[in-house]
Amino acid sequence: MRIIRTIPYFNWGLFMAVDSGKRVRLSAMFDAAHDYRLLLSRGYPLSHALNMVSQHYLLNEYERLLLFRCVHSSKYVHETTRKLFCPNGENLSSKVLVIDFYNIILTILAMIKSEDVYLCDDCLVRDLRGSKIRSGERELLDRVFNTIADILANYRNVFAEIIVVADKNVSHSLDDVREFSNTLRKVSQEARVTFILSPTPDSKTVSMATNSVIASTDSVIIENSYRILPLTTLALHSMGLKPVIDFANIFGYTCQYCDSKSQTC
């Protein structure tokens, strides 16, 4: 994925309201993001760096979580953006795609509900909504599944196998992952689609990460991965949406999206 340098466009003197009812102070987040990355890049422990910056800028709980989710060390960002994969003729050693199921679908669900999502400094889109499907949201899952299927349909000749890994402990997880797998099979007939229900889905995904292309925004999984398919970022682009805050832009660069026609990134 190419990165293009640019200039941050936000009016950093303002604040904005977010889904949780909290206020995010843009000027504080701009300064806090730079200081937090600097501390991480200098080797400070994550918790120590987060506490220092949060206390200095008097960050509220939401601002602190946003910093934790969306800002990383310079080394992490460099390594992650090099892993971001768009099918562009690259000769992959693995033709297997592993999807971190709930991690991916909950962020895309947030997009469909017009909830706040953020383009983080590693060019991956994340949300702060939590890890559970809420009451009344299950009826929207078809739209989520079809959104992902439409994206993967553009690259149907790239992957020979798609493995969906889901948390066995989530209510209705078997029904969810089975329906999603069936949706993928309709548009990815060239690929073998299977699913795995695991009580430890993160560990299961990590165990396959070095030999597969991974669709996840989990930082631990990403660090252990060979290639990352930025599904949430592709979904944001395909739906014509913009992130509430573009953290890449804060640091002076622009994330480039996969282009399904030119197949470049």
Side-chain angles (χ1 to χ4, degrees):
M1 179 171 284
R2 294 173 294 171
I3 292 178
I4 297 177
R5 292 284 163 186
T6 185
I7 299 174
Y9 57 80
F10 294 110
N11 183 344
W12 294 108
L14 302 177
F15 65 84
M16 64 181 184
V18 294
D19 290 334
S20 64
K22 299 280 188 181
R23 287 183 174 184
V24 171
R25 295 162 299 146
L26 297 180
S27 60
M29 287 305 300
F30 180 89
D31 292 335
H34 279 273
D35 286 357
Y36 183 53
R37 174 182 275 195
L38 178 63
L39 292 174
L40 292 177
S41 298
R42 289 184 173 179
Y44 280 70
L46 188 150
S47 59
H48 189 189
L50 188 60
N51 287 336
M52 287 177 63
V53 173
S54 297
Q55 291 170 11
H56 181 74
Y57 291 100
L58 301 177
L59 301 184
N60 61 41
E61 182 181 353
Y62 194 92
E63 291 169 333
R64 178 187 170 97
L65 181 58
L66 184 54
L67 204 63
F68 171 74
R69 290 278 284 160
C70 273
V71 179
H72 309 84
S73 70
S74 296
K75 179 181 178 182
Y76 173 92
V77 171
H78 175 70
E79 291 179 349
T80 299
T81 53
R82 290 184 63 185
K83 293 177 182 179
L84 296 183
F85 167 75
C86 296
N88 59 356
E90 178 181 354
N91 186 20
L92 287 174
S93 61
S94 173
K95 297 291 187 180
V96 178
L97 172 65
V98 178
I99 300 176
D100 185 4
F101 181 63
Y102 285 110
N103 171 275
I104 294 296
I105 71 163
L106 289 175
T107 299
I108 298 176
L109 178 60
M111 297 178 200
I112 288 174
K113 293 186 65 181
S114 299
E115 294 177 349
D116 294 338
V117 294
Y118 302 88
L119 182 62
C120 299
D121 64 355
D122 58 359
C123 295
L124 295 173
V125 173
R126 295 180 175 88
D127 66 273
L128 303 186
R129 55 162 283 135
S131 58
K132 294 183 179 180
I133 297 176
R134 302 167 188 161
S135 175
E137 290 183 334
R138 198 162 294 280
E139 62 191 33
L140 298 174
L141 291 184
D142 277 348
R143 290 178 60 188
V144 176
F145 298 163
N146 286 323
T147 297
I148 297 172
D150 288 344
I151 293 169
L152 294 181
N154 293 319
Y155 313 119
R156 57 168 54 93
N157 296 321
V158 175
F159 301 109
E161 183 174 8
I162 300 174
I163 303 173
V164 184
V165 181
D167 190 342
K168 182 179 181 180
N169 299 317
V170 174
S171 297
H172 306 291
S173 58
L174 177 59
D175 294 335
D176 293 342
V177 74
R178 180 181 287 153
E179 181 180 351
F180 178 59
S181 298
N182 288 336
T183 301
L184 292 185
R185 290 187 184 104
K186 294 176 183 177
V187 299
S188 302
Q189 297 179 2
E190 295 84 356
R192 177 172 176 261
V193 180
T194 60
F195 62 83
I196 298 173
L197 285 176
S198 172
T200 55
D202 290 354
S203 297
K204 186 63 179 178
T205 303
V206 166
S207 72
M208 296 183 284
T210 57
N211 298 312
S212 309
V213 177
I214 303 294
S216 178
T217 63
D218 184 284
S219 59
V220 174
I221 293 174
I222 289 169
E223 285 182 308
N224 288 278
S225 295
Y226 152 72
R227 284 287 188 272
I228 301 294
L229 183 69
L231 261 182
T232 56
T233 309
L234 293 173
L236 185 85
H237 183 55
S238 70
M239 295 168 71
L241 302 176
K242 292 186 179 296
V244 173
I245 296 178
D246 181 342
F247 280 90
N249 191 269
I250 288 177
F251 292 105
Y253 53 87
T254 299
C255 300
Q256 298 298 290
Y257 298 96
C258 296
D259 184 326
S260 61
K261 295 180 180 179
S262 63
Q263 290 195 335
T264 61
C265 190

